[in-house]
Amino acid sequence: SRGSNEYLCSILLGFGQMAMMTGYVGSSNVLESVLRSVNSRDPERIDAHAGYYGQSMIYGTYTIANLFTPTLVVLLGSKKMLVLGSSLFTLYLVSFFYLNSFSFYACAGLMGVGYAIFYSGHGAYLTEHSSRESVERNSALVLASACWSLIVGGTVLLISSLLSEPPKEQTIAASAKVYRDFSGNEIIIMFACFSAISLVSNVLFAFLPSKIGSDSLVYTSPKPRLPFTKSIALMFSTLLHPRLLLLSLYFLTLGLFNGFVLGIYPTSFAFTKSLSSYRYLPAAAMVMVGTGDVLMGLVLSFLSRRVRNFGLVHALVIGLSL
């Protein structure tokens, strides 16, 4: 039936996003300390601060690519966009099998473009396989499935640390360093797991159902297809709308917060001497943050059904209070 097909599409899309994001959020939590460890053993291979530079490149190319990727949906279709975007995520993770400056920065830039391609295809696919009555439910299903990426990523970090437990004498030597040192074996195990999970997302997206129902939003709320130049002009005019300018402050805060949570906060574990000796701390922190995401999603879902007119303001107040 149409409803069961929407459920299937939403769940597969959510699990595909979870598999794709697992490697990204997992690697982002330890990126700078991993690359600093590689630099300490072979300074010619990569910069000591390549983790920060790489994340800046990802966010930069992602921002620029977002100006153009929505137009690609018309040319490629949502499903191909999902496959292409997730494949660039996998390419980025595979590049860690032999790190050097050229391949890392090139793949980081491509992953930023893949990020934009993926989310353009993601929104289009969800719209194509949702009706007016089901779009909110389907969006919640996708988000609920995708929220597990932090938990899965933290579990992968924990497993890679357990499988590459160093001998006691190496542990004593590592404890003298002021940052968390990742061995070559630990890096290979970690990114092999991340790459394999990301590859699952490529396969899931490739086999997503393509059939669009007659009550799809693309039919009931059609939008005219504009030439590329007019699409860009419309986008910039929309960006200057007073209400969107007001929302831009929220978007700016959200972007800074995400950068802090994925980059600065977990890196502080690795470069604080009193914490760097705790090998499993980054993994534990990821799992706990992911668990908090899932639990808060359940709480907000429960309150939205029980409290009349429960909306964004209430959710923001709860978040700020915590």
Side-chain angles (χ1 to χ4, degrees):
S1 66
R2 173 63 187 156
S4 61
N5 186 58
E6 285 187 0
Y7 270 116
L8 177 64
C9 292
S10 301
I11 291 172
L12 289 177
L13 181 63
F15 273 102
Q17 184 180 354
M18 182 271 290
M20 186 194 77
M21 293 300 294
T22 291
Y24 171 62
V25 298
S27 62
S28 294
N29 273 263
V30 294
L31 185 60
E32 174 58 25
S33 47
V34 164
L35 297 180
R36 175 67 71 88
S37 300
V38 174
N39 170 267
S40 68
R41 292 188 287 270
D42 188 354
E44 299 298 320
R45 280 177 63 182
I46 201 159
D47 302 316
H49 301 294
Y52 299 128
Y53 304 150
Q55 285 190 315
S56 298
M57 184 168 289
I58 289 170
Y59 295 143
T61 54
Y62 171 57
T63 302
I64 296 170
N66 269 312
L67 301 176
F68 310 103
T69 51
T71 309
L72 285 177
V73 177
V74 179
L75 301 175
L76 297 178
S78 60
K79 187 173 172 179
K80 289 182 180 177
M81 294 278 284
L82 291 170
V83 174
L84 177 59
S86 63
S87 297
L88 292 175
F89 271 74
T90 304
L91 176 65
Y92 168 74
L93 296 170
V94 169
S95 71
F96 282 81
F97 288 132
Y98 184 77
L99 280 167
N100 61 69
S101 293
F102 175 78
S103 64
F104 172 70
Y105 291 127
C107 290
L110 287 173
M111 203 211 80
V113 176
Y115 215 150
I117 291 173
F118 169 79
Y119 274 113
S120 295
H122 182 279
Y125 186 86
L126 188 60
T127 301
E128 291 168 357
H129 295 83
S130 299
S131 63
R132 285 182 178 274
E133 294 75 23
S134 64
V135 63
E136 292 183 358
R137 180 204 67 195
N138 294 344
S139 298
L141 280 173
V142 172
L143 183 60
S145 303
C147 275
W148 288 84
S149 59
L150 278 167
I151 297 176
V152 177
T155 304
V156 170
L157 281 179
L158 178 61
I159 292 172
S160 62
S161 296
L162 289 170
L163 292 178
S164 56
E165 189 77 40
K168 186 175 181 180
E169 58 272 14
Q170 291 185 18
T171 304
I172 295 172
S175 63
K177 296 183 177 181
V178 295
Y179 65 90
R180 163 75 157 86
D181 185 66
F182 287 83
S183 66
N185 188 42
E186 188 173 2
I187 294 171
I188 292 297
I189 293 173
M190 184 193 312
F191 283 94
C193 294
F194 284 149
S195 300
I197 295 172
S198 185
L199 188 61
V200 170
S201 74
N202 305 153
V203 175
L204 277 175
F205 292 140
F207 289 96
L208 283 175
S210 300
K211 185 179 179 181
I212 300 175
S214 58
D215 58 347
S216 167
L217 285 172
V218 297
Y219 295 135
T220 58
S221 302
K223 294 182 180 179
R225 292 187 176 184
L226 300 175
F228 177 75
T229 53
K230 288 188 177 180
S231 297
I232 296 297
L234 178 62
M235 180 190 62
F236 278 107
S237 65
T238 304
L239 289 174
L240 296 175
H241 191 280
R243 290 187 178 181
L244 198 58
L245 289 175
L246 186 62
L247 281 172
S248 65
L249 297 174
Y250 168 72
F251 298 148
L252 177 63
T253 304
L254 184 62
L256 292 172
F257 178 75
N258 284 340
F260 172 80
V261 170
L262 288 177
I264 298 173
Y265 174 66
T267 302
S268 67
F269 298 153
F271 289 92
T272 303
K273 189 171 183 179
S274 59
L275 300 176
S276 61
S277 59
Y278 295 96
R279 288 172 51 82
Y280 311 119
L281 183 58
M286 275 188 67
V287 170
M288 294 307 296
V289 171
T291 303
D293 279 347
V294 173
L295 291 177
M296 184 51 62
L298 294 174
V299 169
L300 294 179
S301 178
F302 174 81
L303 292 175
S304 66
R305 292 194 300 269
R306 300 293 190 280
V307 180
R308 188 178 180 183
N309 297 324
F310 185 87
L312 178 62
V313 174
H314 302 85
L316 287 175
V317 170
I318 293 173
L320 288 172
S321 300
L322 293 174

Short mmCIF file of all heavy atoms in Angstrom, two decimals, residues 53-67 108-109 112-113 116:
data_model
loop_
_atom_site.label_atom_id
_atom_site.label_comp_id
_atom_site.label_asym_id
_atom_site.label_seq_id
_atom_site.Cartn_x
_atom_site.Cartn_y
_atom_site.Cartn_z
N TYR A 53 42.23 22.44 9.72
CA TYR A 53 42.19 22.94 8.35
C TYR A 53 41.20 22.11 7.51
O TYR A 53 40.46 22.66 6.69
CB TYR A 53 43.58 22.88 7.70
CG TYR A 53 44.66 23.62 8.45
CD1 TYR A 53 45.99 23.19 8.40
CD2 TYR A 53 44.37 24.75 9.21
CE1 TYR A 53 46.99 23.87 9.09
CE2 TYR A 53 45.36 25.42 9.91
CZ TYR A 53 46.68 24.97 9.84
OH TYR A 53 47.66 25.63 10.53
N GLY A 54 41.21 20.79 7.72
CA GLY A 54 40.33 19.92 6.94
C GLY A 54 38.87 20.19 7.23
O GLY A 54 38.04 20.24 6.31
N GLN A 55 38.53 20.37 8.51
CA GLN A 55 37.14 20.67 8.84
C GLN A 55 36.71 22.02 8.30
O GLN A 55 35.58 22.19 7.85
CB GLN A 55 36.94 20.61 10.35
CG GLN A 55 36.92 19.18 10.90
CD GLN A 55 36.48 19.12 12.35
OE1 GLN A 55 36.93 19.90 13.17
NE2 GLN A 55 35.62 18.18 12.67
N SER A 56 37.63 22.99 8.30
CA SER A 56 37.32 24.29 7.70
C SER A 56 37.05 24.14 6.21
O SER A 56 36.12 24.78 5.67
CB SER A 56 38.49 25.26 7.92
OG SER A 56 38.72 25.49 9.29
N MET A 57 37.82 23.29 5.54
CA MET A 57 37.60 23.06 4.11
C MET A 57 36.26 22.37 3.88
O MET A 57 35.55 22.71 2.92
CB MET A 57 38.75 22.23 3.54
CG MET A 57 38.67 22.02 2.04
SD MET A 57 40.19 21.34 1.36
CE MET A 57 41.28 22.75 1.53
N ILE A 58 35.91 21.42 4.72
CA ILE A 58 34.61 20.73 4.58
C ILE A 58 33.47 21.73 4.71
O ILE A 58 32.57 21.79 3.86
CB ILE A 58 34.46 19.63 5.65
CG1 ILE A 58 35.41 18.46 5.34
CG2 ILE A 58 33.02 19.12 5.70
CD1 ILE A 58 35.51 17.45 6.46
N TYR A 59 33.50 22.56 5.75
CA TYR A 59 32.42 23.52 5.96
C TYR A 59 32.40 24.57 4.86
O TYR A 59 31.32 25.02 4.44
CB TYR A 59 32.57 24.20 7.33
CG TYR A 59 32.42 23.27 8.50
CD1 TYR A 59 33.19 23.42 9.65
CD2 TYR A 59 31.51 22.21 8.48
CE1 TYR A 59 33.06 22.57 10.74
CE2 TYR A 59 31.38 21.35 9.54
CZ TYR A 59 32.14 21.53 10.67
OH TYR A 59 32.02 20.68 11.74
N GLY A 60 33.58 24.98 4.39
CA GLY A 60 33.65 26.00 3.34
C GLY A 60 33.08 25.51 2.02
O GLY A 60 32.25 26.19 1.39
N THR A 61 33.50 24.32 1.57
CA THR A 61 32.99 23.79 0.31
C THR A 61 31.51 23.43 0.43
O THR A 61 30.76 23.54 -0.54
CB THR A 61 33.79 22.55 -0.14
OG1 THR A 61 33.82 21.58 0.92
CG2 THR A 61 35.22 22.93 -0.50
N TYR A 62 31.11 22.99 1.61
CA TYR A 62 29.69 22.69 1.84
C TYR A 62 28.84 23.95 1.68
O TYR A 62 27.79 23.93 1.02
CB TYR A 62 29.53 22.11 3.25
CG TYR A 62 28.10 21.94 3.72
CD1 TYR A 62 27.19 21.19 2.99
CD2 TYR A 62 27.68 22.53 4.91
CE1 TYR A 62 25.88 21.02 3.43
CE2 TYR A 62 26.38 22.37 5.36
CZ TYR A 62 25.49 21.62 4.62
OH TYR A 62 24.20 21.46 5.06
N THR A 63 29.30 25.05 2.25
CA THR A 63 28.56 26.31 2.15
C THR A 63 28.45 26.79 0.71
O THR A 63 27.37 27.16 0.24
CB THR A 63 29.25 27.39 3.01
OG1 THR A 63 29.32 26.95 4.37
CG2 THR A 63 28.49 28.70 2.95
N ILE A 64 29.57 26.76 -0.01
CA ILE A 64 29.57 27.23 -1.40
C ILE A 64 28.73 26.31 -2.29
O ILE A 64 27.93 26.77 -3.12
CB ILE A 64 31.01 27.32 -1.93
CG1 ILE A 64 31.79 28.39 -1.14
CG2 ILE A 64 31.02 27.65 -3.43
CD1 ILE A 64 33.28 28.39 -1.42
N ALA A 65 28.88 25.00 -2.11
CA ALA A 65 28.16 24.04 -2.95
C ALA A 65 26.65 24.12 -2.75
O ALA A 65 25.88 23.84 -3.69
CB ALA A 65 28.65 22.62 -2.66
N ASN A 66 26.22 24.54 -1.55
CA ASN A 66 24.78 24.66 -1.30
C ASN A 66 24.11 25.70 -2.20
O ASN A 66 22.88 25.68 -2.37
CB ASN A 66 24.52 25.03 0.16
CG ASN A 66 24.35 23.81 1.04
OD1 ASN A 66 23.59 22.91 0.70
ND2 ASN A 66 25.05 23.77 2.16
N LEU A 67 24.91 26.60 -2.78
CA LEU A 67 24.35 27.59 -3.68
C LEU A 67 23.93 26.99 -5.01
O LEU A 67 23.10 27.56 -5.73
CB LEU A 67 25.37 28.72 -3.92
CG LEU A 67 25.86 29.48 -2.68
CD1 LEU A 67 26.94 30.47 -3.08
CD2 LEU A 67 24.69 30.20 -2.01
N ALA A 108 38.59 16.02 1.63
CA ALA A 108 37.81 16.85 2.55
C ALA A 108 36.97 17.85 1.76
O ALA A 108 35.78 18.06 2.05
CB ALA A 108 38.72 17.56 3.53
N GLY A 109 37.58 18.47 0.74
CA GLY A 109 36.84 19.41 -0.10
C GLY A 109 35.71 18.72 -0.84
O GLY A 109 34.58 19.24 -0.92
N GLY A 112 32.77 17.97 1.45
CA GLY A 112 31.92 19.13 1.68
C GLY A 112 30.91 19.30 0.55
O GLY A 112 29.72 19.58 0.79
N VAL A 113 31.35 19.09 -0.68
CA VAL A 113 30.44 19.13 -1.83
C VAL A 113 29.42 17.99 -1.72
O VAL A 113 28.23 18.18 -1.97
CB VAL A 113 31.23 19.03 -3.16
CG1 VAL A 113 30.27 18.97 -4.35
CG2 VAL A 113 32.18 20.21 -3.30
N ALA A 116 26.57 18.79 0.62
CA ALA A 116 25.52 19.61 0.01
C ALA A 116 24.68 18.81 -0.98
O ALA A 116 23.45 18.95 -1.02
CB ALA A 116 26.17 20.81 -0.69
#
